[in-house]
Amino acid sequence: MIDPEVRCPCLSGEQYGQCCGRFHSGEAEAPTAEQLMRSRYAAFAVGDEAYLLRTWHPSTRPRRIDIDPEQAWRRLDILRTTAGGLLDQTGTVEFVAHYRHHGERGSLREHSRFVREHRQWFYVDAL
Ligand SMILES: [Zn+2]
């Protein structure tokens, strides 16, 4: 858990408790695919494995996730999104997530697919 008043790790500029923290706690559902993506990135940053599992579509969800505590997620850049809005059932988000691991810088670039079922967005897989 992190302080709800700190800046959200997704770097939206909002406080964690007003941003991804609301989704992590279950208080609210991410309304768009991009917000789900940001909240999943933030879940990696704060170590919330349960949130990653519950926002992973059951058809592709792994049995467990082990977040590497040595991998420090530093920045998320959203490159491009398609659909994924309030009235959509599918969407994609292309992003680059930057991290440090044992002092080395690295980045992960992915084009992720999302679906919405029962008003809830899920991560499906990478294109
Ligand atoms: Zn956030």
Side-chain angles (χ1 to χ4, degrees):
M1 273 303 288
I2 65 168
D3 185 334
E5 296 193 355
V6 301
R7 224 154 66 101
C8 189
C10 83
L11 302 185
S12 60
E14 307 277 332
Q15 292 180 341
Y16 173 69
Q18 305 294 318
C19 187
C20 298
R22 292 180 307 132
F23 309 136
H24 294 172
S25 69
E27 195 184 311
E29 296 287 350
T32 67
E34 180 177 342
Q35 275 170 295
L36 185 78
M37 169 60 229
R38 301 183 81 91
S39 70
R40 284 175 54 84
Y41 167 84
F44 271 103
V46 303
D48 190 341
E49 292 166 1
Y51 183 76
L52 291 167
L53 288 171
R54 91 170 178 268
T55 56
W56 206 310
H57 194 265
S59 66
T60 53
R61 180 189 293 154
R63 200 161 298 168
R64 55 179 294 179
I65 296 172
D66 291 307
I67 294 177
D68 181 351
E70 297 297 324
Q71 196 157 21
W73 295 93
R74 307 299 290 268
R75 197 175 90 229
L76 174 68
D77 293 329
I78 303 287
L79 303 178
R80 197 162 63 96
T81 64
T82 62
L86 298 173
L87 302 174
D88 295 314
Q89 301 303 314
T90 61
T92 71
V93 179
E94 194 171 357
F95 65 92
V96 185
H98 300 268
Y99 61 84
R100 270 178 190 267
H101 192 254
H102 295 293
E104 299 281 315
R105 285 166 207 250
S107 65
L108 169 75
R109 183 177 178 143
E110 192 180 297
H111 196 173
S112 304
R113 287 200 305 150
F114 297 87
V115 294
R116 190 165 69 155
E117 291 177 359
H118 311 295
R119 298 169 182 235
Q120 194 189 338
W121 284 103
F122 292 93
Y123 170 77
V124 181
D125 57 12
L127 289 167

